[in-house]
Amino acid sequence: MPKSKKPEEITVQDKEAAEAEIREKQKPVDYDTKEYPVEILVHKYMDGKDDDTNELFIPDYQRNEAWEDKRQSKFIESVLLGLPIPFIFVADIYDPENDLGRLEIVDGTQRIRSLARFLNNELTLVGLEKLKKLNQFRYTDLPLARQRRFKRSTLRMIQLTEKADEEVRRDMFERINTGSVDLNDMEKRRGILRGPFLDILDQLSANEKFLDLCPFSEALIRRSEPQEFVLRFFAYLNNYNNFERQVNKFLNDYLEKHNKDRRDHETMKAEFQSMLDFVYKHFDNGFSKSKRHKKTPRIRFEAISVGVALALRENINLQPKSMNWLDSPEFKEYTTSDASNSRPKVIRRIEYVRDQLLDKA
């Protein structure tokens, strides 16, 4: 294996060779952009499927497992709502001996299967959260006008020309499917719940004292985990008594509400800072279990941060008599992973911290 060069050692000849390699590898990846109605896509997939002559087909190297009904339903819901759908990638397959002009699905198999099942009345919609009244519907249960509009909905397609050989197609499939990562809940919120309160979360999540007391890896920072923690702080601080069981819905509802009501953000920022100052002064390990821990469990952060803020609301000049309770069996029990999603446990762990600091226990 050739030894890596330092940047200052790269010559003009090296750069020219690199450019030539890029141009060479680009040649097989010739493509066109198409747009087809759902009805046409499903027809291209279904017509001739049984004898393997369908125009739009699934190659043998693709994974066999299908999306579960709930995920297929959510995709159909996206089409009904007119939301942007990722491109479907196909490749024009040229066979000199028996050329049928077929299109191999490189990426988009599950979307095509979902559309075909729905139009063939084989999929009953379940788990829909936006179009809740459509749960238990099949395609033919829709009004005729909606059926026709659904079939006219269009999806975009990237079509590789016949110049793209099998190696290129397999390589593209691998890159698409290993390079993509499902968005976590906070990343989704940043995409669909933009607003002034989300801007506050972005600002506070970059607070140096916060990041020092509550360390995150670079990977977690890139995936908006600090913003998730700050959102949890405010949501539980101001609404923990109304928590039920669904954390994601609880946080989404809080974010959506406070994006609209434009409450006093300066007061919120000041309360967040006061909480951090108190933790910095009185908690030797910050929000972590110990100095050697480089990650803070969400439950522990919620209990400490919200408990501290509630205590400060009662006594802004609070000076705790003892911090030994941090090592108590009760606190450890309240902040373990199985103590997360029930209302009594949420209330118990938050108020335990508050009461210990106020010496009410």
Side-chain angles (χ1 to χ4, degrees):
M1 185 175 180
K3 183 179 178 181
S4 298
K5 293 185 177 182
K6 298 178 180 179
E8 62 270 18
E9 295 176 335
I10 296 176
T11 65
V12 173
Q13 290 78 12
D14 292 329
K15 294 179 181 180
E16 291 175 348
E19 176 63 21
E21 184 178 42
I22 292 172
R23 291 180 179 276
E24 177 187 357
K25 299 299 183 184
Q26 277 182 333
K27 290 177 183 177
V29 190
D30 236 359
Y31 66 89
D32 297 319
T33 304
K34 309 283 186 181
E35 191 162 359
Y36 289 108
V38 165
E39 183 177 25
I40 299 300
L41 284 174
V42 172
H43 176 75
K44 289 177 180 291
Y45 171 65
M46 293 300 301
D47 187 33
K49 180 173 176 288
D50 291 340
D51 59 3
D52 200 28
T53 60
N54 50 340
E55 181 180 353
L56 197 59
F57 74 98
I58 299 171
D60 58 5
Y61 63 83
Q62 293 251 21
R63 57 180 181 261
N64 293 320
E65 66 267 18
W67 284 348
E68 70 279 6
D69 285 358
K70 184 175 180 180
R71 189 168 181 183
Q72 291 191 29
S73 298
K74 191 163 187 177
F75 170 68
I76 298 299
E77 182 183 44
S78 297
V79 177
L80 286 165
L81 289 170
L83 299 177
I85 305 298
F87 281 93
I88 292 172
F89 284 78
V90 300
D92 189 342
I93 305 302
Y94 174 67
D95 184 349
E97 296 182 2
N98 183 28
D99 187 23
L100 297 176
R102 304 180 76 193
L103 296 172
E104 174 186 292
I105 304 174
V106 178
D107 183 70
T109 296
Q110 307 299 346
R111 279 165 275 164
I112 296 295
R113 284 173 170 163
S114 300
L115 291 170
R117 284 193 69 209
F118 188 57
L119 286 191
N120 290 328
N121 231 36
E122 297 169 356
L123 175 65
T124 300
L125 299 177
V126 293
L128 302 186
E129 297 179 358
K130 293 291 184 182
L131 302 176
K132 296 179 180 179
K133 295 187 185 302
L134 291 186
N135 282 313
Q136 304 306 313
F137 269 54
R138 292 193 177 195
Y139 173 72
T140 53
D141 295 321
L142 296 173
L144 179 60
R146 180 53 56 192
Q147 293 180 34
R148 289 171 172 170
R149 290 189 177 97
F150 182 85
K151 289 195 291 187
R152 290 200 301 265
S153 302
T154 58
L155 272 70
R156 294 166 297 170
M157 177 185 290
I158 298 292
Q159 181 177 318
L160 304 177
T161 69
E162 65 271 15
K163 296 178 183 179
D165 59 22
E166 184 173 359
E167 180 182 354
V168 170
R169 302 194 303 272
R170 288 177 180 265
D171 180 56
M172 179 170 285
F173 174 77
E174 181 181 0
R175 288 172 185 272
I176 290 170
N177 286 281
T178 59
S180 61
V181 179
D182 289 340
L183 297 180
N184 63 33
D185 292 330
M186 194 64 214
E187 289 170 320
K188 292 175 184 175
R189 294 183 192 110
R190 291 171 63 78
I192 62 179
L193 293 173
R194 298 299 313 182
F197 185 56
L198 187 59
D199 294 338
I200 297 298
L201 300 184
D202 285 342
Q203 180 182 341
L204 295 179
S205 67
N207 183 297
E208 291 186 8
K209 183 171 285 187
F210 169 59
L211 295 175
D212 181 49
L213 294 169
C214 192
F216 299 94
S217 67
E218 288 298 321
L220 288 176
I221 290 174
R222 288 194 297 270
R223 303 213 64 193
S224 301
E225 187 72 358
Q227 288 91 333
E228 170 88 16
F229 273 51
V230 180
L231 174 58
R232 284 169 177 257
F233 167 73
F234 285 114
Y236 284 113
L237 174 62
N238 296 311
N239 204 29
Y240 73 95
N241 278 305
N242 294 318
F243 174 77
E244 295 299 335
R245 285 193 66 87
Q246 298 181 4
V247 177
N248 191 38
K249 184 178 186 303
F250 175 73
L251 296 177
N252 286 348
D253 290 347
Y254 186 86
L255 175 57
E256 187 171 11
K257 176 183 177 182
H258 291 286
N259 263 336
K260 295 175 181 177
D261 72 2
R262 297 180 180 273
R263 63 184 295 170
D264 187 353
H265 290 160
E266 293 306 314
T267 299
M268 297 180 78
K269 288 191 283 186
E271 188 164 32
F272 184 74
Q273 186 63 52
S274 295
M275 178 274 295
L276 293 179
D277 291 342
F278 186 91
V279 172
Y280 182 80
K281 182 177 181 180
H282 297 287
F283 290 70
D284 292 340
N285 301 317
F287 297 105
S288 299
K289 294 179 181 179
S290 68
K291 295 291 186 184
R292 59 185 177 84
H293 282 84
K294 300 301 181 184
K295 183 179 178 181
T296 303
R298 289 174 172 179
I299 298 172
R300 184 181 178 89
F301 171 79
E302 293 161 8
I304 293 176
S305 64
V306 177
V308 165
L310 289 174
L312 290 174
R313 283 181 175 181
E314 294 193 31
N315 182 1
I316 191 63
N317 298 312
L318 178 64
Q319 295 294 326
K321 294 182 178 179
S322 173
M323 299 298 292
N324 293 334
W325 54 268
L326 278 169
D327 297 318
S328 68
E330 292 85 359
F331 184 66
K332 291 178 181 178
E333 177 190 348
Y334 298 161
T335 55
T336 54
S337 59
D338 62 349
S340 55
N341 295 342
S342 78
R343 184 170 177 271
K345 290 179 179 179
V346 167
I347 293 173
R348 183 172 62 179
R349 67 172 179 257
I350 288 173
E351 294 185 351
Y352 176 81
V353 174
R354 179 200 64 187
D355 293 346
Q356 291 292 329
L357 292 170
L358 292 170
D359 197 26
K360 289 184 177 180

